Amino acid sequence: MYLKFYLENQRMPVEDEVNDICKRLFTAVQSFAPKTEYEEFYKIVEKREKSYEERILRDLQNGITLETLMAKKYKKTPEEKAAFAKQKKQQRRAKRKKET
């Protein structure tokens, strides 16, 4: 959520916006841990917020864009998985044969 916000606005969120982000995230957290209180969750996010900017800047240097972030992940078909496994197996065999 922070990365998406940064890509859209070219800055880190201010306190009001952080609160909105936390509220959206908290609904997902509550489905996993219903006994969690919002204040506890907000403290954790506040504590980690300092490292978010460093990580976001690192991601930007690695070429992350809003389009790549929002793009759906492509799942390999079973045939593609099998072909990839076969190729890896052949590479391992060739490497072992070369070593001996």
Side-chain angles (χ1 to χ4, degrees):
M1 298 284 294
Y2 273 84
L3 178 58
K4 182 180 176 187
F5 183 90
Y6 192 93
L7 290 170
E8 290 173 349
N9 301 299
Q10 302 300 317
R11 63 178 173 81
M12 290 299 287
V14 292
E15 194 168 332
D16 306 359
E17 297 159 337
V18 170
N19 200 15
D20 291 340
I21 290 172
C22 284
K23 285 179 183 175
R24 281 188 264 153
L25 290 174
F26 186 67
T27 56
V29 169
Q30 265 195 320
S31 65
F32 294 116
K35 294 183 180 180
T36 306
E37 294 181 19
Y38 179 76
E39 289 77 25
E40 293 175 32
F41 175 73
Y42 190 79
K43 285 179 186 177
I44 292 170
V45 170
E46 262 185 337
K47 181 180 173 185
R48 294 182 178 184
E49 187 177 10
K50 294 172 184 88
S51 65
Y52 288 162
E53 188 168 13
E54 294 171 12
R55 192 179 321 161
I56 288 170
L57 293 174
R58 194 173 339 120
D59 286 345
L60 291 175
Q61 287 177 345
N62 292 334
I64 299 277
T65 63
L66 192 57
E67 291 79 26
T68 58
L69 182 66
M70 301 306 287
K72 286 191 172 187
K73 305 267 191 243
Y74 172 75
K75 284 193 169 186
K76 293 180 183 172
T77 63
E79 293 82 21
E80 290 173 321
K81 287 180 183 179
F84 184 74
K86 183 178 179 181
Q87 182 184 14
K88 286 296 238 182
K89 190 175 182 181
Q90 288 173 344
Q91 288 174 347
R92 275 190 240 118
R93 282 184 180 167
K95 184 179 176 183
R96 284 190 208 127
K97 189 174 183 181
K98 185 180 177 183
E99 288 174 354
T100 59

Coordinates of all heavy atoms in Angstrom, one line a residue, residues 2 6 11-12 48-58:
Y2 N 2.0 1.2 0.8 CA 2.9 2.4 0.8 C 3.5 2.6 -0.6 O 3.7 3.7 -1.0 CB 3.9 2.2 1.9 CG 3.5 2.6 3.2 CD1 2.8 1.8 4.1 CD2 3.9 3.9 3.7 CE1 2.4 2.3 5.3 CE2 3.6 4.3 5.0 CZ 2.8 3.5 5.8 OH 2.5 4.0 7.0
Y6 N 3.2 5.8 -2.9 CA 4.4 6.5 -3.3 C 4.5 6.6 -4.9 O 4.8 7.7 -5.4 CB 5.7 5.8 -2.8 CG 6.9 6.7 -3.0 CD1 7.4 7.5 -1.9 CD2 7.7 6.7 -4.1 CE1 8.5 8.2 -2.0 CE2 8.8 7.4 -4.2 CZ 9.2 8.2 -3.2 OH 10.3 9.0 -3.3
R11 N 5.6 10.7 -3.1 CA 6.0 11.1 -1.8 C 5.5 10.1 -0.8 O 4.6 9.3 -1.1 CB 5.5 12.5 -1.4 CG 4.0 12.6 -1.4 CD 3.5 14.0 -1.0 NE 2.0 14.1 -1.2 CZ 1.1 13.6 -0.3 NH1 1.5 13.0 0.8 NH2 -0.2 13.7 -0.5
M12 N 6.0 10.1 0.4 CA 5.5 9.3 1.5 C 4.2 9.9 2.0 O 4.0 11.1 2.0 CB 6.5 9.1 2.6 CG 7.7 8.3 2.2 SD 7.3 6.6 1.7 CE 7.0 5.9 3.3
R48 N 7.5 0.3 11.7 CA 8.1 -0.2 10.5 C 8.1 0.9 9.4 O 8.8 0.7 8.4 CB 7.3 -1.4 9.9 CG 7.4 -2.6 10.9 CD 6.7 -3.8 10.3 NE 6.8 -4.9 11.2 CZ 6.4 -6.1 10.9 NH1 5.7 -6.3 9.8 NH2 6.6 -7.1 11.7
E49 N 7.4 1.9 9.6 CA 7.3 3.0 8.6 C 8.6 3.6 8.2 O 8.8 3.9 7.0 CB 6.3 4.1 9.0 CG 6.0 5.1 8.0 CD 5.0 6.1 8.5 OE1 4.7 6.2 9.7 OE2 4.6 6.9 7.7
K50 N 9.5 3.6 9.1 CA 10.8 4.2 8.8 C 11.6 3.4 7.8 O 12.3 4.0 6.9 CB 11.6 4.3 10.1 CG 11.0 5.3 11.1 CD 11.7 5.2 12.5 CE 11.1 6.1 13.5 NZ 10.0 5.4 14.2
S51 N 11.4 2.1 7.8 CA 12.2 1.3 6.8 C 11.4 1.2 5.5 O 12.0 0.8 4.5 CB 12.4 -0.1 7.4 OG 11.1 -0.8 7.6
Y52 N 10.1 1.6 5.5 CA 9.4 1.5 4.2 C 10.0 2.4 3.1 O 10.1 2.0 2.0 CB 7.9 1.9 4.4 CG 7.1 0.9 5.2 CD1 5.9 1.2 5.8 CD2 7.5 -0.5 5.3 CE1 5.1 0.3 6.5 CE2 6.7 -1.4 6.0 CZ 5.5 -1.0 6.6 OH 4.8 -1.9 7.3
E53 N 10.4 3.6 3.5 CA 10.9 4.5 2.5 C 12.1 4.0 1.8 O 12.3 4.1 0.6 CB 11.1 5.9 3.1 CG 11.4 6.9 2.0 CD 11.4 8.4 2.6 OE1 11.3 8.5 3.8 OE2 11.4 9.3 1.7
E54 N 13.0 3.4 2.7 CA 14.3 2.9 2.1 C 13.9 1.7 1.1 O 14.5 1.6 0.1 CB 15.1 2.3 3.2 CG 15.7 3.4 4.2 CD 16.4 2.7 5.4 OE1 16.6 1.5 5.4 OE2 16.7 3.5 6.3
R55 N 13.0 0.9 1.5 CA 12.7 -0.3 0.7 C 12.0 0.2 -0.6 O 12.2 -0.3 -1.7 CB 11.7 -1.2 1.5 CG 11.5 -2.5 0.8 CD 10.6 -3.4 1.5 NE 10.8 -3.4 2.9 CZ 9.9 -3.8 3.8 NH1 8.7 -4.3 3.4 NH2 10.1 -3.8 5.1
I56 N 11.1 1.2 -0.5 CA 10.5 1.8 -1.7 C 11.5 2.4 -2.7 O 11.4 2.1 -3.9 CB 9.4 2.8 -1.3 CG1 8.2 2.1 -0.6 CG2 9.0 3.7 -2.5 CD1 7.2 3.1 0.0
L57 N 12.4 3.1 -2.1 CA 13.5 3.7 -3.0 C 14.3 2.6 -3.7 O 14.7 2.7 -4.8 CB 14.3 4.7 -2.2 CG 13.6 5.9 -1.7 CD1 14.5 6.8 -0.8 CD2 13.1 6.8 -2.8
R58 N 14.6 1.6 -2.9 CA 15.3 0.4 -3.5 C 14.5 -0.2 -4.6 O 15.0 -0.6 -5.7 CB 15.7 -0.6 -2.4 CG 16.7 -1.6 -2.8 CD 17.2 -2.5 -1.7 NE 16.9 -2.0 -0.3 CZ 16.2 -2.6 0.6 NH1 15.6 -3.8 0.3 NH2 16.0 -2.1 1.8

